[in-house]
Amino acid sequence: MILPVIMAGGTGSRLWPMSRELFPKQFLRLNGEQSMLQDTVTRLDGLNVSEPLLICNEQHRFLAAEQLRQINQLSNNIILEPVGRNTAPAIALAALSATANGQDPLLLVLAADHVIDNKDAFHQAIQLATPLAEQGKLVTFGIVATGPETGYGYIQRGETYGESAFNVKRFVEKPDLPTATEYLASGEYYWNSGMFLFSAKRYLEELGEFRPDILAACQLAMADVKIDSVQDFIRVDLEAFSACPDESVDYAVMEKTTDAVVIPLDAGWNDVGSWSALWEVNERDDNGNALTGDIFTHKTSNCYINTDDTLVAAIGVENLVIVNTKDAVLVIDKSQVQDVKKVVEFLKSNDRREYRVHRESYRPWGRHDKVVDAPRYQINRVTVKPGGKFSLQKHLHRAEHWVVLSGTAEVTLEGKTYLLTENQSTFIPIGSVHMLENPGKIPLELLEISSGSYLGEDDIIRLKDHYGHC
């Protein structure tokens, strides 16, 4: 059995303003109708694999669960990392979970934010790797380099192993341009994809050999694991996992083991690590423009333009990235896209919300769009999915006025329950105990007007919480 293990813990700051700390790139729809996470899962269709095991940050749990639910892949299969500790511990959590009942599946370790154009070539590489992993080899997939890329680590191949693989001679860090050019010319180097196939028990054996401290910390974290069958989460012990060293799987295991082999993969792979990389993987018009959204162009070429919901007009420009979201606009030359991190650093150092969240945020019950954010009042457009409900709560500093735009709302206010439908409204006084639920079959849309001396999220006093503090 092959168990896909999907790593979805990154923050993707290089794709700001679309990617934010609480809505990173793996959850965005950047190259089609599905998110990158959903693409990663559905790319496995046609292979003999089990349902995936997803590893993600605690703060992304509801977003991850909703996206798996949308593609019918949600079944108590999300391991929550209470803190980030890099890939070696994350894979150890997956391996310990997979072997808990005495089984020993092959773990197909994948990143949630990669693009792979050639699905058939990807499947073929996995099929070639499977018998090697069954023999106890730790297989990595080396991307056939198409240029002297300085943004990737590299794998140097050694002697051939079998008909389709090579022993790994060494892993090397991101090189400078002259060194990358030498690597490409030699034909011995592949880009390090960060994808692996190996037996769960075999990985734990090697981790115990080379980094017993990591293995011990992960075993302790999994010893008191809590299964949340209602919300499909596997929660590990915070204190034990926080004490685990931060280490990549390359450093911890792959660079030290004598059983690492590499299979070349030529499948249109891209880790979409920048806006220019996203321009490369998207379809482009006759002028080389990759366009998403409501856009007008004239005498414009080789640009990437993406807009949420407002018109963007670009005239007489070339080689630009223009990204428009509801609360931020980025304009940058394609050759300078690595400097997007400068913006993120500025926003973070000034405690600006734009580095962390979007104007529109997703909640376990639906979504919340902050249309107006003034000092003493806010106007939010709220969408509650069928069956979704707010926590039973009260506020000490603000009152709220709810106006139903469409759907049906079931309101509980100071112990009394009543229904509201389109064009009806209700008032929630300061200090009153209240709850909102969508009992209908279609989404509930409403305007929430909040007013008062303090409008922060920490003025929500939850008396009955359905979702774990969200």
Side-chain angles (χ1 to χ4, degrees):
M1 182 183 71
I2 294 179
L3 171 63
V5 176
I6 300 177
M7 317 287 284
T11 56
S13 60
R14 289 178 293 177
L15 292 182
W16 184 89
M18 288 190 67
S19 182
R20 310 277 175 104
E21 184 177 276
L22 294 185
F23 204 123
K25 68 171 181 174
Q26 59 265 30
F27 301 110
L28 294 171
R29 291 166 176 81
L30 295 174
N31 189 39
E33 296 300 316
Q34 296 189 128
S35 73
M36 301 190 79
L37 166 62
Q38 291 170 326
D39 278 343
T40 301
V41 176
T42 57
R43 189 180 298 131
L44 299 169
D45 291 348
L47 287 172
N48 185 22
V49 299
S50 63
E51 284 188 326
L53 183 61
L54 183 71
I55 304 176
C56 75
N57 297 338
E58 174 88 15
Q59 59 190 358
H60 300 149
R61 62 194 185 281
F62 297 118
L63 187 55
E66 174 61 17
Q67 292 204 352
L68 288 186
R69 185 198 64 77
Q70 291 172 0
I71 56 173
N72 299 313
Q73 294 286 334
L74 183 62
S75 59
N76 297 106
N77 56 340
I78 301 177
I79 295 179
L80 299 179
E81 290 183 295
V83 292
R85 286 296 179 266
N86 217 317
T87 53
I91 297 171
L93 295 180
L96 289 166
S97 176
T99 57
N101 295 323
Q103 297 177 315
D104 184 21
L106 300 183
L107 304 184
L108 176 61
V109 180
L110 305 171
D113 57 357
H114 291 176
V115 168
I116 295 179
D117 287 333
N118 191 333
K119 177 179 170 181
D120 291 340
F122 173 63
H123 285 194
Q124 183 179 15
I126 293 170
Q127 291 164 351
L128 292 172
T130 299
L132 303 180
E134 289 172 340
Q135 296 167 21
K137 292 296 181 179
L138 284 74
V139 184
T140 185
F141 299 90
I143 305 302
V144 176
T146 57
E149 177 61 55
T150 59
Y152 301 142
Y154 283 71
I155 302 169
Q156 184 181 16
R157 74 187 190 197
E159 296 178 352
T160 58
Y161 185 87
E163 298 181 359
S164 55
F166 299 88
N167 288 312
V168 171
K169 188 171 184 179
R170 63 172 181 149
F171 289 80
V172 292
E173 293 297 317
K174 298 174 183 178
D176 57 22
L177 184 58
T179 304
T181 303
E182 291 178 8
Y183 289 169
L184 186 66
S186 74
E188 296 181 356
Y189 290 81
Y190 304 103
W191 294 337
N192 186 354
S193 70
M195 299 188 294
F196 307 94
L197 184 70
F198 38 61
S199 152
K201 289 184 178 179
R202 188 76 185 92
Y203 175 75
L204 294 174
E205 288 173 2
E206 294 294 84
L207 186 64
E209 172 73 20
F210 303 115
R211 290 304 303 265
D213 53 341
I214 293 178
L215 178 59
C218 291
Q219 288 173 327
L220 192 59
M222 291 294 288
D224 191 28
V225 69
K226 294 179 175 59
I227 309 296
D228 187 338
S229 59
V230 175
Q231 298 179 14
D232 297 281
F233 302 135
I234 302 169
R235 299 175 184 273
V236 304
D237 184 77
L238 169 60
E239 183 177 354
F241 196 66
S242 297
C244 184
D246 183 312
E247 191 77 85
S248 74
V249 64
D250 288 345
Y251 281 131
V253 174
M254 297 303 293
E255 293 184 4
K256 298 179 174 67
T257 182
T258 58
D259 281 321
V261 296
V262 58
I263 287 184
L265 175 62
D266 188 2
W269 175 91
N270 195 310
D271 76 342
V272 196
S274 68
W275 286 115
S276 58
L278 193 57
W279 172 80
E280 291 173 0
V281 302
N282 271 270
E283 291 186 11
R284 298 186 288 275
D285 64 17
D286 293 341
N287 295 312
N289 298 309
L291 308 175
T292 301
D294 189 8
I295 299 165
F296 170 81
T297 61
H298 177 64
K299 296 182 178 178
T300 293
S301 60
N302 299 320
C303 290
Y304 177 89
I305 307 176
N306 191 316
T307 178
D308 264 358
D309 59 357
T310 56
L311 170 67
V312 169
I315 301 173
V317 296
E318 59 183 15
N319 298 318
L320 291 183
V321 170
I322 303 172
V323 181
N324 174 54
T325 67
K326 290 181 178 180
D327 61 353
V329 178
L330 171 71
V331 180
I332 189 170
D333 190 282
K334 283 217 310 287
S335 66
Q336 306 295 316
V337 291
Q338 296 301 328
D339 285 340
V340 169
K341 62 184 179 182
K342 301 292 185 182
V343 184
V344 177
E345 290 167 0
F346 166 79
L347 295 172
K348 194 169 184 178
S349 65
N350 287 276
D351 199 26
R352 295 277 299 260
R353 62 180 299 277
E354 291 94 340
Y355 92 90
R356 183 171 171 79
V357 295
H358 286 272
R359 195 187 85 177
E360 185 176 49
S361 58
Y362 286 78
R363 310 293 175 88
W365 40 260
R367 64 181 185 270
H368 177 279
D369 186 3
K370 190 172 292 185
V371 180
V372 176
D373 187 9
R376 291 186 62 88
Y377 70 92
Q378 293 176 350
I379 302 175
N380 304 306
R381 183 179 179 122
V382 176
T383 304
V384 184
K385 63 188 179 183
K389 64 177 74 174
F390 292 1
S391 299
L392 185 68
Q393 59 187 254
K394 64 180 180 180
H395 312 296
L396 299 181
H397 301 284
R398 70 175 183 257
E400 294 182 343
H401 189 176
W402 297 344
V403 182
V404 176
L405 303 175
S406 63
T408 300
E410 182 177 283
V411 178
T412 300
L413 180 61
E414 293 294 348
K416 296 181 180 180
T417 300
Y418 52 94
L419 295 178
L420 296 177
T421 57
E422 189 172 326
N423 292 325
Q424 293 183 323
S425 63
T426 192
F427 179 68
I428 312 296
I430 292 176
S432 61
V433 176
H434 62 279
M435 185 173 73
L436 178 90
E437 182 173 358
N438 179 2
K441 303 296 184 183
I442 63 173
L444 164 64
E445 300 274 353
L446 69 145
L447 288 182
E448 176 191 77
I449 299 98
S450 303
S451 60
S453 59
Y454 182 73
L455 303 172
E457 285 284 314
D458 54 356
D459 185 37
I460 301 175
I461 301 173
R462 294 181 175 88
L463 307 175
K464 184 178 180 181
D465 187 11
H466 312 292
Y467 301 109
H469 306 299
C470 275

